[in-house]
Amino acid sequence: MLTNKKVLLGIGGGIAAYKSADLIRRLKERGADVRVVMSQSAMEFITPLTIQALSGHPVASDLLDPAAEAAMGHIELARWADVVIVAPATANLIARINAGMADELLTTTCLATEAPIIVCPAMNQQMYRNLATQENLANIKRKGITVWGPASGDQACGEVGPGRMQEPLAIAEQLVQYFAPAEKPLNGYKLILTAGPTREAIDPVRYISNHSSGKMGFSLAAAATQMGAEVTLISGPVNLATPSGVKRINVESAQQMLDAVMENIEDQAIFIGCAAVADYRIATVAESKIKKSAEHMQLALVRNPDILASVSALKNRPFTVGFAAETDNVEEYARGKLERKKLDLIAANDVSIAGLGFNADNNALQVFWKDGSEKLPATDKLTLATQLLTLIAAKIKTS
């Protein structure tokens, strides 16, 4: 989503500098070429070696670096960047940017660049609320600098309030949206999808589940929002942040997931069943913890409701897309599921391939419909999600 975009990341001297390491990773995941300028105080919080290892480029910090081309590193960087992101931007750094100071490499580069500048504030809540900081923020906005955040919550100093730097994933997603084309193929569509695993209780402390991380479904939700859709995400238990602009509903079991889908399916144009829903659940859940006793134990299982089939059977159903995670005979099993559940389209992946599918950051899909198919080769899940949604949008418009 950020392929060929040149992102210059400026790191200010605050405790939130540790988040910059993750921000670099998030930006590179989305295809960006990331170079970094660190303020002198930033190097007290995180080492240039760490940042260099993550970005793949030497870190710039010295305004008068004799190794820079013509000793004008600030001009080189200023001309190179498609966008400058300052994260974290401390109160001091924001004040110096507002004043147009050129006292170190980071502020000088901001002054010299014609690229858009995005500032992500990070400071103590009282410093953020201070009139001087608020005036500085208002002034840089008037000068055309974009401000993202801050978020509110617990702070390193022990206080609670506004001033936290936005999470790296949120910043990366906003940057993708920032560069998104004006024409969005899913603009005006309502899309609902399921993601992650389900948990089927055995007793109060145990459950049946699977290895789904939810990454593919959450990538679909993020990409669909970027492509203009109004997205409702129904998720099983996962450790993932909600993509920006997405309505999220958390569930545990397959029955809860079905109930949530049916409660929200009305007026939806697209349904994507990406969740790895347990096929069976325990017939009778024990009210208290089952103690270890006999050498062998049998559990009676009953079939869970079929969410995909239930949606597909609706009278005024949305365009319905299923997923099939297989370990062999991928096309045969996927096409069988496509026909059996009367789906419009199915995306199948071979989860036996190392590094793809469950718990991985990358995936590959074979997409099938009644009279055709298309292979989407291995790539990161956000890029893959965009490719799949582009295919879905095209199928909807020609159906």
Side-chain angles (χ1 to χ4, degrees), residues 139-159:
N139 285 338
I140 65 172
K141 288 178 184 177
R142 281 195 290 269
K143 294 172 182 176
I145 294 176
T146 301
V147 178
W148 288 347
S152 185
D154 295 333
Q155 299 185 330
C157 60
E159 297 180 7

Side-chain angles (χ1 to χ4, degrees), residues 294-362:
E295 190 68 25
H296 300 282
M297 182 177 67
Q298 291 184 330
L299 296 172
L301 303 177
V302 295
R303 288 192 67 167
N304 264 327
D306 191 320
I307 299 173
L308 263 178
S310 299
V311 172
S312 183
L314 293 171
K315 184 177 180 180
N316 296 313
R317 73 173 201 176
F319 187 91
T320 305
V321 180
F323 267 71
E326 305 292 349
T327 57
D328 57 279
N329 300 323
V330 174
E331 180 169 356
E332 177 187 345
Y333 292 146
R335 284 201 175 278
K337 188 174 181 179
L338 176 76
E339 295 172 11
R340 188 171 62 256
K341 299 191 179 185
K342 297 180 173 59
L343 307 177
D344 295 295
L345 186 145
I346 192 164
N349 60 313
D350 188 341
V351 293
S352 69
I353 300 175
L356 299 179
F358 288 153
N359 285 310
D361 292 325
N362 295 334

Side-chain angles (χ1 to χ4, degrees), residues 42-69:
M43 293 186 286
E44 300 293 328
F45 291 91
I46 190 167
T47 68
L49 184 61
T50 298
I51 299 302
Q52 178 175 315
L54 290 167
S55 69
H57 295 290
V59 172
S61 59
D62 189 353
L63 179 59
L64 304 175
D65 183 2
E69 182 181 341

Side-chain angles (χ1 to χ4, degrees), residues 264-277:
N264 292 274
I265 199 70
E266 189 175 356
D267 297 328
Q268 299 289 332
I270 303 167
F271 172 75
I272 303 177
C274 188
V277 182

Side-chain angles (χ1 to χ4, degrees), residues 183-232:
E183 184 178 347
K184 300 184 177 182
L186 292 177
N187 195 40
Y189 286 92
K190 289 185 177 182
L191 183 150
I192 184 169
L193 76 154
T194 62
T198 61
R199 289 179 180 173
E200 310 301 330
I202 297 173
D203 62 21
V205 298
R206 303 180 181 93
Y207 55 82
I208 297 172
S209 191
N210 56 63
H211 293 295
S212 173
S213 64
K215 290 179 180 179
M216 190 69 232
F218 276 63
S219 294
L220 282 164
T225 303
Q226 292 157 11
M227 295 168 72
E230 180 182 327
V231 179
T232 299

